[in-house]
Amino acid sequence: MPVDLIKRFSSTTENQRKAIFSTLFIAGNKLQTLFDNHIPEISLKQFMLLSIVRQSKEQLTFTQLGDLLGCSRQNIKKLADVLMKKGFITIQQSLHDTRAMCILPTEKVDDYFQNDFSEYQEELKYLFEVYTDKEIETLFILLSKLYAGIDNLEKRIADENNSNI
């Protein structure tokens, strides 16, 4: 954020809230653009889906993956269809719910993360090299609290929607 904007938005808590919200939105867009233009073969959203599927100890449904990524089941299906065509995943019926579909990684996912993506993980260090270890810890804590704020907002909106019914 340029210095003049920092001065303009630092005068009140309300202005700081607006600046934080705007910064989160803009930073997210900039990161997506950077990675979409730089990572070969997959988009950042596809990468995030693969990361979650790869790290999960159990099969996750499209709905569960949507909840984790903050998007709809339909968005997960679109991402999954593209990843399946590229050979990164298979889609199969859930073991726990025959109405639900799950995503399973193929061997190509491990190969991708170990070979193709490893050089880009190194580049991620550049994103955080401007922080001290203590600042990273503080940022981690604050971003964790941001999720609590998002949960608060989701509950508030759900309550409003329910009261309008």
Side-chain angles (χ1 to χ4, degrees), residues 34-145:
L34 274 168
F35 279 86
D36 283 352
N37 291 331
H38 196 60
I39 299 173
E41 203 168 353
I42 62 173
S43 69
L44 182 58
K45 288 181 181 182
Q46 292 166 356
F47 170 79
M48 293 304 300
L49 179 58
L50 284 179
S51 294
I52 290 173
V53 168
R54 182 173 178 249
Q55 298 299 323
S56 178
K57 298 199 183 337
E58 60 188 51
Q59 290 184 0
L60 297 172
T61 66
F62 287 7
T63 301
Q64 290 169 319
L65 289 162
D67 288 344
L68 287 170
L69 280 172
C71 62
S72 71
R73 178 196 170 289
Q74 292 80 8
N75 285 349
I76 296 297
K77 182 167 180 9
K78 287 178 189 176
L79 292 170
D81 286 343
V82 172
L83 290 169
M84 187 174 72
K85 288 176 184 160
K86 292 180 179 182
F88 284 102
I89 61 164
T90 59
I91 300 173
Q92 72 177 37
Q93 197 172 45
S94 170
L95 299 173
H96 307 292
D97 181 354
T98 56
R99 299 167 297 164
M101 301 304 286
C102 291
I103 296 174
L104 299 173
T106 64
E107 289 180 14
K108 186 174 180 177
V109 172
D110 284 331
D111 181 62
Y112 181 82
F113 276 86
Q114 289 171 2
N115 298 314
D116 298 331
F117 189 71
S118 61
E119 69 182 86
Y120 300 101
Q121 273 183 304
E122 277 297 309
E123 289 183 0
L124 255 182
K125 290 179 184 174
Y126 291 109
L127 180 62
F128 297 103
E129 75 179 3
V130 297
Y131 297 96
T132 65
D133 288 348
K134 183 65 179 161
E135 288 170 331
I136 290 287
E137 181 183 351
T138 302
L139 182 59
F140 180 80
I141 291 166
L142 292 173
L143 288 174
S144 298
K145 284 187 90 168

Side-chain angles (χ1 to χ4, degrees), residues 7-26:
K7 285 180 186 176
R8 190 169 351 142
F9 283 99
S10 64
S11 61
T12 67
T13 301
E14 182 63 29
N15 282 345
Q16 290 172 351
R17 286 183 189 133
K18 290 175 185 176
I20 291 167
F21 181 81
S22 298
T23 299
L24 290 170
F25 180 79
I26 293 165

